[in-house]
Amino acid sequence: MAAFTTHTPCQATPLHPNIKISTQNANTKTVHKTTSSLHHYPSISSLFSQTKSTLFSNSGSGSSWLQHNPLHHDASGGSGSRQGPIYSVFRTKPAEVASVEDLFEFICSGPLVDKMGLTQEKVAESIDKWLFYGSKLCRLFQLDELYLTTPQKARFYHYYIPVFVWCEDQISQHASKFKDGEEIPPLVIGFSAPQGCGKTTLVFALDYLFRITGRNSATLSIDDFYLTAEGQAELREQNPENTLLELRGNAGSHDLPFSVETLTALSKLTKEGMKMKLPRYDKSAYSGRGDRADSSTWPEVEGPLTVVLYEGWMLGFKPLANEVVKAVDPQVKCAFGVAATDLVFIYVF
């Protein structure tokens, strides 16, 4: 089981001032860039010299590096993600966008780079992918890639993209354990963090990046496995003295056998043409008490499946003995947990 712990990446600041881009006429751009120390990294210097002519050129249709990048393509219709317009046309006023060199240094200043074993050389070698991922995330979240604020840049380049790169590495390690010709079951990656930390949004972004890079992925939440309204009512009646089980949310209010059954079924989605629906929960049902959504509304995924992204606030928790729990709160008779077996976890604090 692999795991890393991170803080919310909201304190990062750029190391260099933003470049300024001014328009002289319809076909000419003047670029004022800051001095960089990247002459120590030939691959980046070479990339920047090759990219500068396309990144800041005007081909008559407002081109950007995206229009010349072989990685640039749209996701398949199966992702179901909302896609806004991509902003590749230069404005008539200075844009607050960093050069490739500045962005490289911003990426390397992120808190997760060292934790994942990335070096400046490795980032330099894959900088085109980082640019591609960042631009696609701008489209997904309907942000202008030329006017990202520092928190927005940190969200993408210090958090979402590094986690995606880490996931890809975990998938590669997982696949290497199988021989040629063997069916490779999807890797299940768990994301565990307190409520409100952004797990669902992170998984939403990762699922999108997997799909636009040609990988089939499935997303699940521990919330999808809440007991049905009927099951929750029975649990409440069976434990009238336990207020923690009165409503959904706490350990004990989930259908663990159903979650294991679902994950087991997804692990067998290894061939093209195989399909499966993913359970979903309707929190608005019964005046907010909730119920499992009708199966006709569940999204469908197809094989071969590469990865399952599973998020929840108590993933990896293990049961405690009743006497230990009662020492903390006498009204709690038992504690339930979700086993960490066969899951690769990211713990976000």
Side-chain angles (χ1 to χ4, degrees):
M1 180 174 67
F4 66 84
T5 304
T6 177
H7 295 280
T8 303
C10 58
Q11 299 88 1
T13 55
L15 300 180
H16 295 281
N18 290 332
I19 64 170
K20 299 297 181 182
I21 304 174
S22 58
T23 303
Q24 293 181 330
N25 54 54
N27 298 310
T28 306
K29 301 285 185 296
T30 299
V31 179
H32 307 285
K33 64 183 182 69
T34 59
T35 304
S36 174
S37 60
L38 288 182
H39 61 275
H40 297 296
Y41 304 99
S43 58
I44 279 291
S45 299
S46 174
L47 173 64
F48 182 69
S49 63
Q50 296 171 8
T51 307
K52 185 165 57 176
S53 61
T54 57
L55 182 60
F56 303 114
S57 67
N58 188 335
S59 62
S61 60
S63 68
S64 75
W65 77 275
L66 284 171
Q67 294 173 307
H68 304 278
N69 194 307
L71 289 174
H72 179 52
H73 62 279
D74 290 327
S76 62
S79 68
S81 303
R82 60 188 178 92
Q83 298 183 20
I86 192 71
Y87 298 95
S88 58
V89 181
F90 283 100
R91 308 301 182 87
T92 57
K93 63 180 181 180
E96 298 178 0
V97 57
S99 68
V100 175
E101 295 172 288
D102 291 339
L103 183 58
F104 167 81
E105 295 191 4
F106 184 81
I107 291 170
C108 292
S109 70
L112 298 184
V113 172
D114 291 338
K115 291 179 179 292
M116 295 186 302
L118 286 176
T119 63
Q120 291 184 330
E121 288 78 11
K122 288 182 179 179
V123 173
E125 291 171 359
S126 60
I127 190 65
D128 57 334
K129 290 185 177 181
W130 288 74
L131 291 170
F132 170 70
Y133 299 152
S135 182
K136 285 298 185 180
L137 288 175
C138 285
R139 167 177 291 194
L140 178 65
F141 291 98
Q142 298 184 334
L143 296 174
D144 190 329
E145 59 183 312
L146 300 183
Y147 290 88
L148 290 180
T149 64
T150 297
Q152 289 169 343
K153 285 199 301 181
R155 183 183 185 188
F156 292 166
Y157 294 103
H158 286 178
Y159 190 24
Y160 290 177
I161 298 176
V163 172
F164 179 69
V165 171
W166 182 85
C167 289
E168 285 199 313
D169 180 63
Q170 295 298 312
I171 291 172
S172 296
Q173 292 183 38
H174 172 68
S176 68
K177 299 175 183 178
F178 297 86
K179 298 178 181 179
D180 291 341
E182 287 186 330
E183 293 184 355
I184 303 176
L187 178 67
V188 180
I189 301 180
F191 299 82
S192 188
Q195 295 96 325
C197 282
K199 301 182 297 299
T200 301
T201 308
L202 169 62
V203 167
F204 172 69
L206 296 177
D207 178 59
Y208 179 74
L209 290 177
F210 276 121
R211 290 182 180 277
I212 65 173
T213 53
R215 297 178 187 265
N216 289 341
S217 57
T219 63
L220 290 170
S221 168
I222 194 172
D223 293 357
D224 296 323
F225 301 107
Y226 280 133
L227 295 169
T228 62
E230 182 180 355
Q232 186 64 43
E234 293 177 358
L235 180 67
R236 183 166 54 250
E237 293 171 1
Q238 294 169 3
N239 300 272
E241 75 289 353
N242 192 340
T243 58
L244 295 178
L245 297 179
E246 182 177 351
L247 301 172
R248 71 172 191 273
N250 289 300
S253 61
H254 299 83
D255 189 338
L256 296 187
F258 181 44
S259 68
V260 173
E261 175 187 326
T262 301
L263 291 173
T264 300
L266 284 172
S267 70
K268 299 177 181 178
L269 226 62
T270 57
K271 297 180 180 179
E272 188 174 351
M274 301 179 71
K275 299 180 180 181
M276 176 180 167
K277 286 193 171 185
L278 301 176
R280 290 295 185 258
Y281 191 84
D282 182 4
K283 295 181 179 179
S284 65
Y286 292 96
S287 302
R289 286 186 175 270
D291 193 10
R292 190 166 298 155
D294 188 277
S295 59
S296 64
T297 66
W298 296 358
E300 188 176 69
V301 292
E302 298 184 16
L305 205 58
T306 300
V307 61
V308 177
L309 307 174
Y310 190 22
E311 57 97 352
W313 70 271
M314 65 176 74
L315 294 181
F317 285 26
K318 295 183 178 180
L320 296 175
N322 283 337
E323 55 271 18
V324 176
V325 177
K326 287 183 178 181
V328 177
D329 190 338
Q331 75 167 332
V332 182
K333 287 191 173 182
C334 56
F336 300 83
V338 180
T341 306
D342 298 328
L343 293 182
V344 177
F345 278 102
I346 295 178
Y347 295 105
V348 185
F349 295 101

